């Protein structure tokens, strides 16, 4: 399946785009998504950390991603 | 106009109105009102800051702020909570965030206000980029 990953902050700079398209197996886990992202964008590994949000909620590594989910990469937040 | 909800949350690219924020949380039952006003400093770690830029993942940021406000009401006897955050480019001295809390007694207002800003800085998907004379950096992005 193809999913769109929304990007913000430094992740948007790394992708050089506000979102990217990624090809994943059906019902991939968040962990495998991160692995695929880091394969294609090695600079992600230089970040102090990052999380994945699925449908506007922080996701766990073992959570599944489905076709119509809204997926975002969340670099370290720094609001306030 | 009077809102029926005791929680007022806003993410906007317009300047924040601190006076209206503090007035909004005031109630006849309020014995204490605590306000936090974040401001853009002109230096960080001894280095001159020219301006800041804030970006939000709007839908998720609102949801996370709602969770923080709900948690504050669960933990302390509060009357009203307001959390406003600005996005876009802000100059030195401008206000990126205003938090206002009212309670019958000051201790709850003080503690809840501190909890809200501390937690916002940890969980809400808003990002800050610092602009220097010699470049720019996303805060907290790298070790």
């Amino acid at each position: 399946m193809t999913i769109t990953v929304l990007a913000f902050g430094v992740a948007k700079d790394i992708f050089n785009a506000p979102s990217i398209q990624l090809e994943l197996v059906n019902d991939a886990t968040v962990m495998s998504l991160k692995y695929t992202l880091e394969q294609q964008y090695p600079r992600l590994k230089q970040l102090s950390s990052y999380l994945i949000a699925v449908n506007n909620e922080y996701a766990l590594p073992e959570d599944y991603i489905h076709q119509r989910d809204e997926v975002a990469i969340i670099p370290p937040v720094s609001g306030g | 106009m009077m809102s029926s909800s005791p929680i007022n949350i806003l993410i906007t690219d317009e300047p924040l109105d601190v006076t209206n924020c503090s007035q909004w949380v005031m109630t006849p039952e309020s014995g204490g009102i605590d306000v936090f006003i974040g401001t853009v400093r002109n230096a960080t770690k001894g280095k001159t800051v020219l301006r800041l830029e804030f970006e939000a993942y709007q839908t998720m940021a609102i949801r996370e702020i709602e969770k923080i406000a709900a948690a504050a009401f669960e933990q302390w006897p509060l009357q009203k909570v307001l959390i406003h955050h600005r996005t876009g480019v802000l100059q030195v001295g401008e206000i990126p965030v205003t938090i206002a809390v009212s309670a019958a007694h000051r201790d709850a207002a003080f503690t809840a206000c501190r909890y809200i800003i501390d937690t916002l800085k940890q969980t809400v998907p808003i990002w800050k980029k610092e602009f220097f004379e010699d470049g720019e950096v996303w805060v907290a992005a790298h070790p």
Side-chain angles (χ1 to χ4, degrees), chain B residues 62 76 120:
Chain B
I62 291 286
W76 295 282
L120 183 152

Side-chain angles (χ1 to χ4, degrees), chain B residues 21-85:
Chain B
C21 288
S22 40
Q23 283 175 352
W24 187 87
V25 296
M26 202 169 294
T27 79
E29 297 81 26
S30 300
I33 290 170
D34 197 298
V35 177
F36 174 80
I37 301 165
T39 56
V40 177
R41 288 182 294 164
N42 65 357
T44 189
K45 292 162 187 154
K47 199 170 175 182
T48 300
V49 170
L50 301 177
R51 62 185 179 277
L52 297 183
E53 181 175 357
F54 287 89
E55 180 184 7
Y57 179 18
Q58 181 96 12
T59 53
M60 185 178 175
I62 291 286
R63 191 182 290 209
E64 289 295 317
I65 295 176
E66 284 169 348
K67 291 177 188 175
I68 295 172
F73 270 98
E74 281 175 18
Q75 293 180 61
W76 295 282
L78 306 176
Q79 287 154 356
K80 282 186 163 180
V81 166
L82 176 148
I83 304 169
H84 286 189
H85 203 298

Side-chain angles (χ1 to χ4, degrees), chain A residues 1-3 22-29 32-33 36-37 65:
Chain A
M1 64 178 175
T2 302
I3 65 161
L22 219 61
E23 196 63 35
L24 294 178
V25 300
N26 288 336
D27 289 341
T29 59
S32 67
L33 166 66
T36 303
L37 282 170
I65 295 168

Side-chain angles (χ1 to χ4, degrees), chain B residues 97-118:
Chain B
V97 61
T98 301
I99 295 167
V101 179
S102 61
H105 303 287
R106 67 183 182 276
D107 190 62
F110 277 133
T111 313
C113 192
R114 180 64 191 264
Y115 166 82
I116 291 167
I117 184 60
D118 285 355

